[in-house]
Amino acid sequence: MTTGLIPGEQPPDPRPTGGLPQQRHEPVGQAALHVDNRPRSSVITARAAASFEPVGRSVASARSFVRDTLQGWGFADIIDDAVVLTSELVTNAVVHAGTAADVLCLRSDDGVRVEVADRYPEREIPLQGQAVNMGNLDREGGRGLQLCAALAGRWGVEYTPTHKQVWFQLDLPERPVGTRAAGPSLPAALLPLADGRVRVAVVQIDRTGAITSWNEDGEELFGYAAEHVIGKPLTDLAAWPHTPGTGTGIAEALQLSRWEGSYGIRASTGRVTSVYASHLRVRDTTGEPSTVCLLVRDHERAVLQTPSRVPSSDTTTSSDGQSTDPFEVFIGSPAPDDLDGLLQRTVERARDMLDADSAFLLLATDDETVLEVRASTGLPSARQRFARVPVEAGPGRYGSARMPAVHDDLTAVPGAVPLLNGTGMRSVVTVPLKVEGRLTGSLGVAAEAPGRYSNEEALRLQFAADRIALAVESARLGELEGLRRGSLGFLVEASDLLAGTLDRDQTLALMAQMTVPTLATWCAVYTIADQSSEPYLSYVLHEDEDLIDGIKSLLSKVPPPDPVPTPGARVWSAPGEAAHQAALRSSMRSLGLNGGPTRQIASGIGPTLATASAVGGETVVLPLVARNRVIGMLTLGKPTDEHFRQEILELAEDLSRRAALALDNARLYSERTAISQSLQRSLLPPELPEIDGVEVEVIYRAAGEGNEVGGDFYDLFPIRDGAYGFAIGDVCGTGPNAAAVTGLARHALRLLAREGLSGPAVLERLNSAILDEGARSRFLTLLYGELWPQEDGSAKLKVVCAGHPLPLRLRQDGTVEPAAEPQPLLGVMDDLELYEQTVTLDPGDVLLCVTDGVTERREGTRMLGDDGLADVLTTCTGLTAGAVAARIMRAVERFASDAPSDDMAILAMRVPGLHKD
């Protein structure tokens, strides 16, 4: 193809001077053709010409030529019609006529004339005034003249002995003054949704980022009055999204000349309102810069959002009725509506355009340091999907993806294109994709033969890359926005799940289940107990449960990754290498290649090869860092020939930070629970003594989840031969201070009782000891008594009830009565005058002692109380002490549906009597 463009030159009249009469035809009416002998009155201001070979791909090249020519002339309004007509006419020439086609574009003040000439003139010459049949609209060929009649302002056909030329002229539409863009009329159902009144917040920001102006709509949208926000930085209100692969922050966005996009504003209620914003950087008459921000609710973004394409282009249609976009010249129509489809179509068209054996397209990360393979054709699967290569692959301009590069023979420069290592490709041409000077990707084609490409092919490929770069970047940003929204939802759900448990094992399971299969195919979690401990493989999960044991066995034989605190994911190759070696050894043994006898393939080779395939892809390790210490590693893996995309790794890094804190919280909670339980056990007697002639049963239930030491306690101990002491008490509050009083009371009771002191004397000395604790002292309700079994089968008791719920006595006839009188509690007054009461339990009688967690059991406004407890006890006649305690506890639990909020202790003593129950 040869092209030429001579601005400002008026071309010679292309009409021949000899041969058949020249005929220019203009449609009049429905089916008549008339000779157009009017001279060309318009001044030709520019011309462009090109010749195309008689091959199929020339049609696309001709479309590109006309589109680029008219785009350069600024005639965007008529590009689509011109491309459609040119496509039909060139198809007639190079496909149906089988000759080369010459295309000439002429620019004038009032429009554009395009002439398409072929070299197959042996056609019927239509007579003037003769009706012409345009043919069937549905047939594939012969539509060129029909389209000219429908779309062109004027058109005609000219014949010479050697050429046939069809021309058409498109007039420029009149543009209303002030119109920049316009959209078609739409039915009401297709219009964007908005609230009854659309509010546009207008916020002006000075050069320091502080708010200088805030309108009434801003107050209505976000709840802040102007005087409350003026002078504050916008960053105090903006909830800027952390989109994977996008590094622009609110401060940087305010410095740009123009910016448009979505973020959040924290309203006065504390909730984040999603907004769509348009920022414009301006300066006042003194030269002081500031930024004007227009904000609307995100669902009303149509109010501010700039159309992605010129409306006039959107409303024009091609010959088959499909709308055409600027990049569809290269991509084809209809264009894919998803990023993956667009990229795959791009590499296929690039390969066909340069008649290559393979093609590939890579997208750059936000920092422009790494390229990820997003589409390829003609390459092994290992070269596809998210494989990463550095932008700067080597020294010099040809080692950088930022510049076009042509390699005649890759065998002479091994490693010049890392993606093609081992693929058999020898010649390659690569070009960058750039948007506003920023590297967004790289497009390349390769061939197995050397020396296939030159600078001309590089220019053609660069032209195609420039054509689709903006469309690719727009689709990529759309994908990132969708991924960002999904990532935020994923992290919110993950945070809720991790915050919902303080169990270490459950936290480990949640970490793995959240990553598989959402982020990775398999996952392993290593934990580190302390700084001197080695990492320990704690949890393994694969989306196929049958492979979990194989992966666990494999990882147990591989040294764990180093606990490096550096943030971010790092590649760990050990599992893949170990899996490959294990599969190779298993295969050799099964085939008898290790020196042993030949035998059939063993059944064990299946799991080995399956394990190798499962972990044969990319494996990355993310540190679990909490409170400035590495507490473990999160390992994510892909199966053979698969790689992680950068956005997934960034999302996994966010998850690892949350999971690390949740895991460390679970560890601290477990340690605290273990300490509390150990302390609680130390405050209760290890075992109860056996008392001849008296049945004793104790039930103790601590409230909560075991993270606090309870304030209730009980004790039963021998004082001297034939005498036993018993106590049940309740310290005010929980925690360490209550535990201190509990321990003091239990151990002091034993010590003082064994000194031979009476019950009142024991409690008075205990009261003094509690008051000596000062600020750490707590109230204490205590029931203390001494028990002497009698030879006649009864039991004698001396009881002191210091502020505690009264003990209840159940007689054999079913009557229930208090067995003591209330007296002052301990830990309040210095001088106590306590006394003891004597109670005799006859055979069959029961003495029930409880803490207030039993009597104060509540269900709404109802409370069990002393009377309710007595009613339950009346039903326990004839039961053993154990059965009595169990029935009381069951009644208390059934009284309310909620879990108990207070500790409960039940001490039941029964004199069985001389007969067998």
Side-chain angles (χ1 to χ4, degrees):
M1 181 186 78
T2 58
T3 62
L5 179 62
I6 310 174
E9 177 184 353
Q10 180 161 348
D13 193 335
R15 290 175 293 178
T17 56
L20 295 175
Q22 303 149 18
Q23 303 178 36
R24 288 193 230 165
H25 302 281
E26 181 178 9
V28 177
Q30 294 259 334
L33 295 176
H34 296 279
V35 177
D36 180 13
N37 292 320
R38 290 176 293 178
R40 299 174 185 170
S41 59
S42 300
V43 176
I44 304 300
T45 58
R47 68 187 296 270
S51 298
F52 301 93
E53 299 297 325
V55 292
R57 62 173 179 267
S58 293
V59 178
S61 300
R63 288 198 298 262
S64 299
F65 164 70
V66 172
R67 181 179 293 275
D68 294 333
T69 299
L70 300 189
Q71 187 73 44
W73 288 348
F75 293 158
D77 295 330
I78 60 174
I79 283 179
D80 290 330
D81 287 347
V83 168
V84 169
L85 295 176
T86 301
S87 178
E88 291 293 337
L89 298 180
V90 173
T91 299
N92 290 340
V94 302
V95 176
H96 301 299
T99 74
D102 299 323
V103 180
L104 174 65
C105 299
L106 303 174
R107 183 183 71 185
S108 62
D109 296 333
D110 55 354
V112 170
R113 173 182 170 119
V114 178
E115 301 176 353
V116 179
D118 63 39
R119 300 166 190 175
Y120 190 78
E122 293 82 3
R123 303 293 177 90
E124 178 183 358
I125 302 176
L127 300 177
Q128 299 181 17
Q130 181 180 358
V132 178
N133 181 14
M134 292 297 182
N136 190 348
L137 290 173
D138 296 328
R139 67 183 183 139
E140 181 178 357
R143 296 181 300 180
L145 298 182
Q146 185 177 357
L147 286 174
C148 289
L151 299 179
R154 289 191 298 155
W155 66 280
V157 182
E158 297 179 354
Y159 290 90
T160 71
T162 58
H163 288 75
K164 177 182 71 106
Q165 177 177 280
V166 182
W167 61 271
F168 61 87
Q169 181 165 331
L170 298 174
D171 299 327
L172 294 178
E174 295 184 2
R175 299 177 180 175
V177 176
T179 299
R180 179 178 179 269
S185 299
L186 294 175
L190 299 181
L191 297 176
L193 293 176
D195 292 342
R197 176 184 174 185
V198 177
R199 298 187 180 274
V200 181
V202 181
V203 185
Q204 192 160 2
I205 314 297
D206 63 15
R207 67 162 65 225
T208 65
I211 299 173
T212 59
S213 176
W214 183 274
N215 72 339
E216 294 181 357
D217 281 354
E219 181 177 350
E220 291 293 331
L221 286 175
F222 311 119
Y224 299 109
E227 58 268 18
H228 294 157
V229 294
I230 290 179
K232 293 184 178 180
L234 181 62
T235 53
D236 289 354
L237 306 180
W240 194 257
H242 297 285
T243 304
T246 302
T248 303
I250 181 66
E252 291 81 1
L254 293 175
Q255 299 299 319
L256 299 176
S257 61
R258 183 179 292 276
W259 184 90
E260 193 172 312
S262 298
Y263 52 89
I265 295 293
R266 294 184 182 89
S268 60
T269 60
R271 301 185 62 181
V272 175
T273 301
S274 296
V275 299
Y276 192 82
S278 177
H279 297 177
L280 178 64
R281 189 79 164 160
V282 298
R283 60 186 176 90
D284 58 19
T285 55
T286 63
E288 183 68 17
S290 63
T291 302
V292 178
C293 306
L294 305 181
L295 311 175
V296 296
R297 297 181 182 92
D298 191 65
H299 66 272
E300 297 174 338
R301 62 170 55 196
V303 175
L304 298 180
Q305 190 170 24
T306 301
S308 57
R309 301 185 182 95
V310 179
S312 61
S313 298
D314 290 341
T315 58
T316 57
T317 57
S318 62
S319 60
D320 57 0
Q322 297 290 331
S323 61
T324 56
D325 296 328
F327 64 94
E328 284 183 357
V329 175
F330 177 71
I331 294 298
S333 180
D337 57 0
D338 63 302
L339 178 61
D340 290 335
L342 175 61
L343 300 183
Q344 192 61 35
R345 180 81 65 84
T346 298
V347 296
E348 292 171 356
R349 293 299 173 90
R351 179 195 60 187
D352 297 341
M353 183 178 70
L354 296 187
D355 194 20
D357 296 314
S358 64
F360 50 90
L361 192 148
L362 305 90
L363 295 183
T365 55
D366 186 64
D367 57 4
E368 300 183 18
T369 59
V370 176
L371 295 166
E372 286 185 335
V373 178
R374 292 300 303 269
S376 66
T377 180
L379 293 177
S381 60
R383 312 294 168 165
Q384 298 176 1
R385 301 298 291 173
F386 309 119
R388 290 182 292 277
V389 296
V391 170
E392 309 293 341
R397 57 168 293 180
Y398 294 111
S400 173
R402 303 179 188 279
M403 300 293 293
V406 178
H407 295 278
D408 291 332
D409 193 347
L410 290 178
T411 58
V413 282
V417 184
L419 183 66
L420 300 180
N421 291 344
T423 61
M425 301 297 162
R426 297 186 62 179
S427 55
V428 60
V429 53
T430 61
V431 296
L433 276 69
K434 292 186 177 182
V435 175
E436 297 180 353
R438 181 173 59 88
L439 179 68
T440 60
S442 176
L443 176 64
V445 297
E448 296 178 353
R452 285 282 300 274
Y453 305 113
S454 63
N455 288 340
E456 182 179 355
E457 282 79 11
L459 290 175
R460 292 180 61 192
L461 189 63
Q462 184 67 71
F463 185 80
D466 295 341
R467 179 70 53 199
I468 56 96
L470 185 59
V472 168
E473 180 66 3
S474 298
R476 186 182 76 90
L477 292 178
E479 181 189 71
L480 287 177
E481 177 66 15
L483 180 62
R484 182 189 69 85
R485 293 180 181 273
S487 300
L488 291 177
F490 172 77
L491 291 176
V492 168
E493 182 179 0
S495 300
D496 290 342
L497 289 174
L498 291 171
T501 180
L502 289 172
D503 182 80
R504 175 184 176 276
D505 294 337
Q506 189 173 1
T507 301
L508 290 173
L510 284 174
M511 289 170 56
Q513 291 167 6
M514 285 185 292
T515 57
V516 176
T518 305
L519 304 181
T521 306
W522 63 273
C523 167
V525 183
Y526 290 85
T527 57
I528 303 174
D530 52 60
Q531 295 182 352
S532 60
S533 302
E534 292 293 326
Y536 174 75
L537 181 61
S538 299
Y539 201 92
V540 176
L541 184 65
H542 191 281
E543 60 183 6
D544 185 354
E545 294 183 358
D546 295 336
L547 297 177
I548 294 177
D549 291 338
I551 297 176
K552 187 181 299 183
S553 176
L554 175 70
L555 294 178
S556 64
K557 300 174 183 177
V558 177
D562 296 330
V564 178
T566 305
R570 53 192 173 92
V571 177
W572 186 31
S573 59
E577 295 172 356
H580 175 74
Q581 293 298 326
L584 182 61
R585 288 193 300 268
S586 178
S587 300
M588 294 179 66
R589 285 196 304 268
S590 301
L591 298 175
L593 300 178
N594 59 343
T598 303
R599 53 188 173 88
Q600 296 295 325
I601 296 179
S603 59
I605 190 175
T608 302
L609 295 178
T611 302
S613 176
V615 301
E618 188 174 44
T619 302
V620 297
V621 177
L622 298 104
L624 299 175
V625 181
R627 298 175 175 90
N628 299 321
R629 186 175 72 88
V630 180
I631 63 171
M633 284 87 70
L634 179 63
T635 303
L636 306 179
K638 287 282 191 179
T640 300
D641 296 340
E642 290 195 21
H643 303 267
F644 289 97
R645 63 182 301 176
Q646 186 66 29
E647 293 82 5
I648 294 298
L649 293 180
E650 293 173 356
L651 180 58
E653 186 177 355
D654 286 339
L655 176 63
S656 68
R657 287 194 292 266
R658 290 166 169 80
L661 188 59
L663 184 61
D664 200 46
N665 288 340
R667 177 188 64 82
L668 294 175
Y669 178 80
S670 299
E671 292 178 356
R672 182 177 178 183
T673 301
I675 293 172
S676 298
Q677 292 174 347
S678 177
L679 180 57
Q680 186 71 66
R681 287 192 297 268
S682 71
L683 300 178
L684 300 175
E687 58 183 12
L688 297 178
E690 294 184 3
I691 305 176
D692 293 336
V694 179
E695 297 175 357
V696 179
E697 181 66 26
V698 175
I699 296 179
Y700 179 84
R701 298 285 175 84
E705 300 179 0
N707 58 332
E708 290 287 353
V709 180
D712 291 7
F713 71 95
Y714 65 90
D715 202 358
L716 180 64
F717 56 92
I719 299 176
R720 50 190 172 272
D721 293 341
Y724 295 86
F726 66 91
I728 184 169
D730 185 2
V731 178
C732 176
T734 59
N737 291 334
V741 176
T742 301
L744 172 65
R746 193 173 78 85
H747 294 294
L749 284 175
R750 289 196 173 207
L751 180 62
L752 295 173
R754 288 171 178 170
E755 289 294 324
L757 299 176
S758 64
V762 170
L763 268 59
E764 289 170 2
R765 285 166 173 76
L766 177 59
N767 181 64
S768 299
I770 294 174
L771 293 175
D772 289 342
E773 291 292 308
R776 295 184 300 173
S777 65
R778 288 289 190 272
F779 309 148
L780 171 62
T781 66
L782 180 63
L783 173 65
Y784 172 73
E786 296 180 357
L787 170 67
W788 291 270
Q790 304 298 309
E791 294 181 357
D792 60 357
S794 64
K796 180 181 178 181
L797 293 85
K798 291 183 178 181
V799 182
V800 181
C801 185
H804 199 77
L806 299 179
L808 299 179
R809 177 182 180 179
L810 172 65
R811 295 183 181 274
Q812 282 189 318
D813 60 1
T815 59
V816 175
E817 59 184 6
E821 296 177 354
Q823 300 184 58
L825 52 76
L826 307 181
V828 179
M829 298 180 292
D830 289 331
D831 298 327
L832 288 180
E833 294 183 1
L834 302 175
Y835 58 91
E836 61 185 7
Q837 297 173 271
T838 302
V839 180
T840 300
L841 294 181
D842 297 326
D845 288 354
V846 175
L847 184 70
L848 178 65
C849 309
V850 300
T851 57
D852 60 2
V854 174
T855 57
E856 294 180 1
R857 177 73 162 149
R858 294 180 181 274
E859 173 70 18
T861 59
R862 298 187 306 119
M863 186 172 70
L864 180 61
D866 296 333
D867 294 338
L869 180 62
D871 292 340
V872 177
L873 186 58
T874 58
T875 66
C876 298
T877 304
L879 299 180
T880 64
V884 172
R887 179 169 292 187
I888 297 298
M889 178 56 71
R890 187 162 54 250
V892 172
E893 291 176 342
R894 292 178 177 177
F895 185 80
S897 58
D898 295 337
S901 59
D902 195 4
D903 301 333
M904 293 184 293
I906 300 174
L907 172 61
M909 294 184 291
R910 178 176 180 269
V911 179
L914 300 178
H915 62 279
K916 185 177 181 180
D917 292 322

